[in-house]
Amino acid sequence: MPNKNEDIYDEMWAGNGEVREAYVNLKSWLENTPPETFRRKREEAEFLFRRLGITFAVYGEGGDPERLIPYDIVPRVLSGQKWREMEKGMEQRVRAINAFLADIYDKQEIVAAGVVPKEIIDANEAYIPEMRGVKPPSSVHAHIAGVDMVCVDGDFVVLEDNVRTPSGVSYMLGNREAEMRLFPELFSLHRIQAVDHYPDELRKRLQSVSPNQERMPRVVVLTPGRFNSAYFEHAFLADKMGVELVEGPDLFVDEDNVVYMRTTRGPQRVDVIYRRIDDAFLDPEAFNPDSVLGVRGLVGAYRAGNVAIANAIGNGVADDKAIYVYVPEMVRFYLGQEPILKNVPTFMGRKADDLKYIKDNLQDLVVKEVHGSGGYGMLVGPKSTKEECETYWKRIEADPDGFIAQPTLALSTCPTFVGEGVAPRHVDLRPFVLSGADGISIVPGGLTRVAMKEGSLVVNSSQGGGTKDTWVLED
C-alpha cells in the first residue's frame, strides 16, 4: 500500500504510483501472499527467536524485562548502486573519526586549529584525559562502528555515530536467518548480497590489531553477564567467531602487565578483548573502584601495549552529539576530502543564536540530550503538547550545553506487516563498519529498525520499535 502522505519518501513506491526497481519482485510477492500466511509466518518467526533466545531487556519496566523485539517479515530492499554510494561515505566517515580519536588523545591538532572547540572536549564526560599519550595497537580506536542513518527524499543522511559498544548486529544476522527459513521462495526471486560472513570479518579485524602477531592471536568477548540487555548478542558473536565468552573474574593481569584467561588447562594469554562493558567498569584499579565487572590491572596492560581492547577506551567522546556536528569538518581536516555523507542540520544549545532558535521553534524540532542514547530523554516537538514543550524547555534552559536540536525529518517509509495488513512505516538503518590493521570492511546491509506505530518516528527497540531484514541487491 503506497504512503498517502506525498511529502514522505516511500522506498517502494515512486511518487507517480509506480514501484521502484528494487521492489518490483517484492510487490508481486506481497500481492500474491494472503495476510493469513503473513500472520502464520510471523508466529513462526517469534517461536524461532524465542528458541534461539533472541530477547531484549528493557530496564525500568515492571515484570519480566525479557521480551522479543518485534520482527517485521517484509524485508527492506536497497539497490547495489545505492549501497556503493553509502559504503564509500561510511568508510570515509569512520576513517575521519578514527583520526579524530587518535588526535584528541595525542597532540589535539584539530583543537589547536580551531576546528573543534576545546571546551567541548573538556566538558565531555566520556573523554578520559588519563588516556592521552596511550596509542592502541595498530592505532585503531573504533574497531566496530555503527553509523545510524535515515533516508530523506531518497538520500541517506547520518543521524549519529556509535563507536563505544554499538549493538544490534545479532539481530541483523538473526533476521536474515529467519527470512531465509520462512520465505525461501522469495530468495529465489532476488540476488541478495550475503551478511552471514560478518563474524568471520569481525574476528579477522580483531586478530589484525593483536600486539602479538608471532602466533595466532587469542580473542575473547568480555561481557558484564547474563543480566545485561544485550547478553544474547555477546554470547551469539562469541559462538559465531569461535572465541571464548568471558566475564571479569575469568581474566587476570600478572606482574608483567600481561592478560591471561583462566582455563582448566591453566592460564592462557589473551591478545584482544572485544569488550561489551562501559569504560567506567573495565578496571576497578583505574576507574570505578566498586566495579565487579571488569579486570583489575587491565588498563595497565593496555598502556603497556600488551593487549588490544575493542573498542578503545575513551571512544565515547566521539559518540557525543555535540561532537557529531563537527564530523564533516573532521573529514576535511584529516582526509582533505569533501564529506560524501551529510549530517542532519543541528542546532547546539551552547550557541546563543541556536538556543534562541530552539526556544522559538521547539514544537517543530526534535531535541536530544548530548549524552543520551536509546531514544530516552528526547522531545519530538510535533508529537508533544504545549505543556510538554514548556516543561522540556526548562530543562534546556537549566543546561543549554547538554542539548542539541534538529528539524523533524520526514523519515522514509517501507512496507511493513502490521495489524491491518501491509502498510508503510518509518525506518532507519545502522550498518556496521569494521576497522583493523588491514583496512576497513562493511557487510552489505545492516540493522533496519522500524517504528511499528503508524506515524511514529521513534524506531528504538527500547521505545517499542521493531527490526526487519535489510537486503542489498547484486547488480
Side-chain angles (χ1 to χ4, degrees):
M1 184 177 74
N3 198 320
K4 296 177 182 178
N5 189 340
E6 295 183 358
D7 295 331
I8 295 174
Y9 182 88
D10 190 278
E11 296 186 19
M12 178 173 172
W13 296 94
N16 55 9
E18 294 183 2
V19 175
R20 302 186 196 280
E21 186 176 354
Y23 278 88
V24 168
N25 288 336
L26 193 70
K27 173 180 177 288
S28 300
W29 175 74
L30 288 173
E31 290 176 342
N32 295 320
T33 304
E36 186 53 43
T37 300
F38 284 141
R39 292 189 183 90
R40 188 179 71 253
K41 293 292 187 179
R42 185 169 60 186
E43 290 174 2
E44 290 178 24
E46 290 176 356
F47 175 79
L48 174 64
F49 288 157
R50 287 202 182 278
R51 194 177 67 186
L52 294 175
I54 304 179
T55 58
F56 184 80
V58 182
Y59 301 129
E61 291 188 354
D64 183 4
E66 293 290 332
R67 64 177 173 90
L68 288 176
I69 294 180
Y71 166 63
D72 177 43
I73 57 179
V74 182
R76 179 188 201 173
V77 188
L78 300 173
S79 70
Q81 180 180 351
K82 173 60 71 175
W83 177 254
R84 284 195 300 276
E85 296 168 4
M86 296 160 62
E87 198 173 36
K88 290 177 183 176
M90 287 185 282
E91 180 173 344
Q92 179 194 60
R93 192 174 182 96
V94 171
R95 286 190 188 281
I97 289 173
N98 261 312
F100 168 75
L101 287 165
D103 179 30
I104 215 68
Y105 284 108
D106 190 22
K107 298 178 181 178
Q108 297 197 348
E109 293 177 351
I110 199 167
V111 173
V115 177
V116 175
K118 188 176 189 300
E119 58 268 24
I120 287 185
I121 304 297
D122 294 341
N124 193 308
E125 296 175 359
Y127 180 69
I128 304 176
E130 295 86 348
M131 290 294 107
R132 285 197 70 171
V134 179
K135 289 183 169 59
S138 303
S139 297
V140 179
H141 286 258
H143 308 79
I144 305 102
V147 182
D148 286 359
M149 295 189 283
V150 293
C151 180
V152 180
D153 295 329
D155 293 319
F156 279 85
V157 296
V158 179
L159 267 183
E160 60 183 52
D161 305 286
N162 299 273
V163 292
R164 267 186 273 205
T165 53
S167 63
V169 72
S170 61
Y171 300 104
M172 174 188 80
L173 297 172
N175 289 349
R176 177 60 56 86
E177 182 178 347
E179 202 76 8
M180 292 179 73
R181 288 192 188 190
L182 296 172
F183 301 109
E185 73 281 2
L186 194 54
F187 282 77
S188 68
L189 299 175
H190 299 83
R191 295 177 60 197
I192 306 160
Q193 297 189 43
V195 298
D196 57 357
H197 58 293
Y198 176 91
D200 292 334
E201 289 291 327
L202 176 58
R203 187 187 66 251
K204 289 175 187 175
R205 294 293 177 267
L206 293 176
Q207 289 175 335
S208 76
V209 298
S210 168
N212 186 350
Q213 293 290 336
E214 295 177 359
R215 56 175 172 76
M216 179 61 72
R218 179 172 285 108
V219 178
V220 298
V221 178
L222 177 61
T223 176
R226 63 187 182 91
F227 294 109
N228 183 267
S229 64
Y231 177 73
F232 162 77
E233 178 158 295
H234 309 164
F236 178 88
L237 286 174
D239 178 61
K240 292 294 184 182
M241 285 194 289
V243 305
E244 294 293 333
L245 178 70
V246 300
E247 296 183 29
D250 297 323
L251 304 178
F252 70 92
V253 179
D254 71 0
E255 63 274 9
D256 295 322
N257 282 324
V258 176
V259 182
Y260 288 91
M261 173 176 59
R262 293 181 172 90
T263 76
T264 55
R265 293 171 293 175
Q268 303 285 327
R269 181 167 179 173
V270 172
D271 304 296
V272 183
I273 298 175
Y274 176 24
R275 54 77 173 251
R276 299 298 294 260
I277 295 177
D278 291 342
D279 289 346
F281 300 98
L282 268 179
D283 182 351
E285 200 173 85
F287 302 125
N288 186 341
D290 298 324
S291 173
V292 295
L293 301 176
V295 184
R296 187 172 296 277
L298 180 58
V299 171
Y302 182 62
R303 285 178 178 276
N306 291 330
V307 68
I309 297 177
N311 281 338
I313 299 174
N315 272 19
V317 64
D319 269 14
D320 191 286
K321 292 177 177 61
I323 292 295
Y324 154 89
V325 176
Y326 296 95
V327 175
E329 291 303 321
M330 292 178 199
V331 173
R332 298 183 181 100
F333 184 81
Y334 295 116
L335 306 182
Q337 302 170 355
E338 280 301 305
I340 297 170
L341 291 174
K342 294 180 180 178
N343 273 14
V344 176
T346 304
F347 304 95
M348 304 177 71
R350 63 184 300 273
K351 296 181 178 180
D353 290 346
D354 284 9
L355 185 63
K356 183 179 184 304
Y357 182 87
I358 293 171
K359 181 181 180 181
D360 295 342
N361 298 275
L362 196 57
Q363 287 202 278
D364 298 323
L365 300 171
V366 175
V367 189
K368 304 174 183 177
E369 296 173 345
V370 163
H371 304 302
S373 62
Y376 293 105
M378 59 188 277
L379 174 84
V380 181
K383 302 289 183 180
S384 303
T385 65
K386 184 178 180 181
E387 291 73 21
E388 287 170 336
C389 288
E390 289 173 352
T391 301
Y392 201 93
W393 169 250
K394 291 177 182 176
R395 291 182 58 202
I396 301 172
E397 199 172 28
D399 179 27
D401 289 7
F403 295 88
I404 58 103
Q406 296 169 330
T408 306
L409 300 176
L411 273 62
S412 64
T413 55
C414 280
T416 303
F417 183 68
V418 291
E420 62 270 27
V422 177
R425 291 292 184 267
H426 294 289
V427 290
D428 77 351
L429 178 65
R430 175 179 289 181
F432 297 91
V433 183
L434 301 177
S435 301
D438 51 353
I440 289 178
S441 64
I442 308 173
V443 169
L447 176 66
T448 287
R449 299 181 298 182
V450 53
M452 302 302 289
K453 297 177 183 177
E454 184 176 5
S456 175
L457 298 173
V458 182
V459 299
N460 302 74
S461 304
S462 54
Q463 305 296 311
T467 67
K468 58 165 67 211
D469 194 10
T470 310
W471 293 0
V472 176
L473 299 182
E474 298 277 6
D475 287 331

